[in-house]
Amino acid sequence: MPPRAKRTEYVVNVDRALRPTLDGGRALLDVPDGWTPEHLVLAALAACVVTSFGYHARRAGLDFTAQATAKAAVSPREDGRWGLVDLECLVEVELDPPPPGDAAGALLARAESGCFIGASLTPKPTYSWRLNGADYSY
């Protein structure tokens, strides 16, 4: 019998005032005025890719700092439904020491593929990377 895949479940409740809380009403998230559900999705994308990057950087024994900026538009999509379009995420990373050769590109690719928020979105986000202050493509 094959091993069962790890499964982690999450629950968020939203009350009538649109205030999110973690399962059972504990840990109220105080969403500042002006934030919309769309902002929260983008915040989740940015946090997820930074978290994924951190996981892979630590496994590689690298010291790092990272931050991300996500943006998107809401517009009718090809299927006629409204949704997020043109999702972009810029991730700025400082690595010490920088990995040699193709190792940096492999690390960034793992960070993208490990971001389950980005993998869950349609359309998929486009990621841009800035590594130690320079734009980086792999």
Side-chain angles (χ1 to χ4, degrees):
M1 180 196 281
R4 286 181 54 178
K6 179 180 175 183
R7 178 181 167 103
T8 305
E9 295 185 4
Y10 300 88
V11 176
V12 173
N13 302 305
V14 176
D15 67 15
R16 292 180 179 148
L18 300 180
R19 294 176 305 192
T21 60
L22 294 182
D23 32 12
R26 69 184 197 346
L28 173 69
L29 176 62
D30 189 19
V31 179
D33 288 340
W35 279 68
T36 65
E38 294 83 357
H39 290 113
L40 295 173
V41 169
L42 294 174
L45 172 62
C48 188
V49 73
V50 167
T51 300
S52 178
F53 175 82
Y55 171 81
H56 293 290
R58 282 188 295 280
R59 287 191 66 187
L62 299 170
D63 288 328
F64 70 94
T65 60
Q67 65 183 31
T69 302
K71 66 181 184 176
V74 173
S75 179
R77 298 188 296 194
E78 291 179 11
D79 63 4
R81 297 171 58 196
W82 284 78
L84 293 172
V85 296
D86 301 324
L87 287 119
E88 299 176 21
C89 191
L90 169 63
V91 189
E92 298 177 88
V93 174
E94 295 289 329
L95 284 172
D96 186 30
D102 295 338
L107 175 64
L108 304 182
R110 286 193 303 275
E112 286 181 24
S113 68
C115 175
F116 63 90
I117 299 294
S120 300
L121 294 171
T122 302
K124 300 295 180 216
T126 301
Y127 295 94
S128 301
W129 292 89
R130 190 163 294 139
L131 179 59
N132 291 353
D135 291 340
Y136 188 88
S137 298
Y138 63 92

